[in-house]
Amino acid sequence: MSRKIERLINLTIALLATKRYLTKNEIFSSVEGYEGSPETKERMFERDKDDLRNLGIQIEVGGFDPAFDDEAGYRIKSENYSLNLGTITGTEIALLSLAAEAWRGAALDDAAQSALLKLRSMGVESDMDSIPNISLQIRTPQTNFEMISQAISQRGVLKFSYLSKDLEVQHRSVAPYAIATHRGFWYLAGMDLDRKSLRTFRLDRIEGEIETSRGSNEYAIPEDFDILKSLEAIRKPERATLDIRKGKAHLLRVQALSIIDKGEWDEITLEYQDLTYVVDSILWHGDDVFVVAPDNLREAVVDALKVLVGLHG
Amino acid sequence: MAKTPQTPISRTSRLLDLVPYLAAHQGIELNSLAKDFSVTANQMVADLTTLWMCGLPGYTPLELMDLSFDSGYVTIHNAETLSKPRNLTSEESIALLLGLDLVVQSLPEERSDLLAIATALRNKLAERANLPSPVHANSSGDSAIRTSILHAISAKKSVEISYHSLYADVITSRVITPLEIHIEETHENVWAYCESANSFRSFRMDRVLESKEVKAPARTSHPNHSSESHSIDFVLRIHSRLRDAVERFSINKADMAGDIHKQAYSQQWLIRSVLSSSGAVELIAPGMTRESIALTAATLLRKYETH
């Protein structure tokens, strides 16, 4: 095992140190570890290149010189290999440490920790005293992050099965644009290639494995794309006036734009976009909440109540 | 101790990251180096031994990396080619970007200087990673409250919290001695000794509305109101909006044929959940709960018809 590791590291060093493209034969004769028949060396080299690419190391192919021969050459450009964030301060490293620490125990914990090791290798000490003592926590048990984030940065297409409102399993092909949290859940937004429109998908509603296309740069993300807008304000928000019992309905109270004291009850106003969602949350509170306006919201609540009485009465 | 399985690829990756880390931390103690990379000291010695054999073509002492680690402290020389840290992977960039989102949202208002730095840093990272706008995380808890509770855990102090009990829909003030923060599914919980109830309790972090440190735990015992510890068997029939029902009642999709038998631990939760399904689900049993849902719905309906 360690011979393979030594060879990969020696190959990386050789390709990084060279100022020009190295041909395969130059690599085989100078980099330690390539042994056996020409076919064996060839196979070893192909596998090594794939392994390095899987580590995110870009190997450039080039150096064709028609005047001599047309053998391809290889090198790793230092500007692609190494982290280049320009000058960085101790305060910035401290902020990034805080950002990485937020993943403790969550999906991208390992990635956050390895990112932190790289940042701490830049030779700038983290200045934790320059930032306030705050502690953050990202909550997500999701494991599809790795695949989705890679697909977004490489502009590759995702294929997955998605649960519809009626629990049908639908097959989707999506050009992913973005991921974001919204109301405590993770969402993926992107162009649904079959339905030819922008859609959002809640990650925990994806069934089974996600497949990614092998290609890259298959689409472009529109420059003005804003995932928060696509999750939030699809429609113009409506305004509702509700009576809520004193000391009750705290979930609605925290959303209130205004509160008027009416004795036993308080009158609040709030904004909503999704009628179904707001009816559900009004009914959660039973007789502690009463809709004053608008009429269509009152009607929706009354309709739901009629069904409830019909089913249970 | 090592979290990831030892494949040649993962070890190669670690060794490549080890070189710049050593270059930036010359003379680091072997044990703390192992800890920083989440491996055992033995594994770290094995890693360093492998690295020692690597270098530029030629592989004479002049071209090999120069490592010294036999005194328990590690130094590296002659490793210029690998001495810059590797570029971030897309996954690492996303982790930092999402983390920075939370940082930006959690900085105190008076630190606008840091806000500007964090925002600029976020933009720079996003651009380098070819991810100009696509990721965004929202903080769903209050970082001041987390900080206060974490501080109480490490200082072994008590805090007075105001807590929203969701099913009872009341806000109570309690004195708790927090012991740890743990994550259940997507929620963060505080496991604590509740001085007000004289027992161990779990509190949802996002329902803690306020937290302030108190000098000594106030051992005033409150009456234990409505502890519904025994479970309630219920039967549910789903009429529409299947996905919503599955998610709300945590139903296993394999059990979707016919009526659904489940257990609840709170009568209030069961009633509220059925009401807020707006008629998409029907509670078949228990009969008493079914009647109470019918009564609440009918009473409310009459109120709408007369007001």
Side-chain angles (χ1 to χ4, degrees), chain A residues 273-289:
Chain A
Q273 269 144 7
D274 184 335
L275 185 68
T276 312
Y277 184 83
V278 78
V279 169
D280 287 0
S281 40
I282 286 168
L283 288 175
W284 167 270
H285 295 95
D287 62 5
D288 290 328
V289 176

Side-chain angles (χ1 to χ4, degrees), chain A:
Chain A
M1 176 161 136
S2 56
R3 289 199 59 79
K4 159 105 175 163
I5 299 168
E6 279 170 34
R7 194 176 67 234
L8 284 173
I9 291 177
N10 284 331
L11 178 64
T12 309
I13 295 175
L15 293 179
L16 255 176
T18 181
K19 298 275 178 285
R20 59 177 180 86
Y21 291 94
L22 295 182
T23 65
K24 258 187 248 178
N25 282 328
E26 286 173 315
I27 291 168
F28 294 160
S29 62
S30 65
V31 176
E32 198 162 83
Y34 290 99
E35 285 152 9
S37 66
E39 293 76 33
T40 314
K41 288 185 195 167
E42 192 83 24
R43 269 202 308 276
M44 267 183 181
F45 181 63
E46 288 306 315
R47 220 168 316 140
D48 290 352
K49 269 195 304 176
D50 281 346
D51 288 340
L52 290 184
R53 283 188 179 128
N54 284 337
L55 286 177
I57 298 171
Q58 288 183 42
I59 299 173
E60 306 268 321
V61 185
F64 300 89
D65 191 344
F68 294 94
D69 53 37
D70 56 359
E71 201 185 349
Y74 303 88
R75 64 178 289 198
I76 298 168
K77 283 194 178 155
S78 170
E79 61 264 37
N80 292 333
Y81 178 86
S82 51
L83 180 60
N84 178 14
L85 290 174
T87 51
I88 197 147
T89 64
T91 303
E92 287 175 312
I93 297 277
L95 288 170
L96 289 166
S97 307
L98 207 56
E101 283 301 309
W103 286 98
R104 243 165 307 124
L108 295 183
D109 196 357
D110 288 353
Q113 292 313 314
S114 62
L116 203 52
L117 278 176
K118 290 175 178 175
L119 295 166
R120 288 173 58 196
S121 303
M122 293 176 75
V124 179
E125 279 309 304
S126 166
D127 183 4
M128 292 307 280
D129 292 340
S130 68
I131 62 170
N133 179 19
I134 52 177
S135 171
L136 307 164
Q137 177 71 50
I138 290 177
R139 267 151 293 176
T140 165
Q142 296 298 338
T143 50
N144 289 326
F145 263 87
E146 182 177 1
M147 217 172 225
I148 296 173
S149 57
Q150 271 187 13
I152 294 173
S153 73
Q154 291 166 8
R155 312 284 190 264
V157 172
L158 296 172
K159 284 190 167 109
F160 52 83
S161 301
Y162 194 69
L163 286 181
S164 77
K165 278 188 177 154
D166 299 315
L167 284 189
E168 283 167 42
V169 175
Q170 302 171 333
H171 299 287
R172 306 283 191 140
S173 293
V174 175
Y177 289 177
I179 47 175
T181 52
H182 182 62
R183 286 186 186 144
F185 293 99
W186 285 94
Y187 287 83
L188 160 71
M191 181 57 68
D192 186 316
L193 298 177
D194 299 318
R195 287 154 186 84
K196 297 194 170 45
S197 72
L198 202 61
R199 297 289 169 99
T200 55
F201 304 92
R202 215 171 89 178
L203 293 194
D204 62 326
R205 289 175 181 157
I206 293 176
E207 285 263 292
E209 298 283 301
I210 298 183
E211 274 178 60
T212 48
S213 57
R214 286 199 70 95
S216 56
N217 290 321
E218 296 181 47
Y219 60 93
I221 299 175
E223 275 198 10
D224 56 351
F225 180 73
D226 181 344
I227 184 161
L228 295 184
K229 272 192 197 133
S230 59
L231 287 169
E232 256 329 319
I234 305 163
R235 278 158 287 195
K236 205 167 145 267
E238 307 266 349
R239 186 168 289 213
T241 307
L242 312 174
D243 279 349
I244 59 177
R245 207 183 293 275
K246 271 258 148 54
K248 286 293 185 179
H250 299 283
L251 291 179
L252 296 172
R253 226 169 252 278
V254 291
Q255 301 172 47
L257 302 170
S258 65
I259 301 184
I260 303 167
D261 188 340
K262 298 208 301 191
E264 192 194 337
W265 297 78
D266 288 327
E267 186 183 277
I268 67 161
T269 54
L270 55 82
E271 282 189 336
Y272 66 94
Q273 269 144 7
D274 184 335
L275 185 68
T276 312
Y277 184 83
V278 78
V279 169
D280 287 0
S281 40
I282 286 168
L283 288 175
W284 167 270
H285 295 95
D287 62 5
D288 290 328
V289 176
F290 184 77
V291 183
V292 178
D295 283 343
N296 69 326
L297 180 58
R298 277 176 66 100
E299 280 159 25
V301 170
V302 165
D303 287 347
L305 286 170
K306 281 182 180 157
V307 179
L308 277 163
V309 171
L311 287 174
H312 297 91

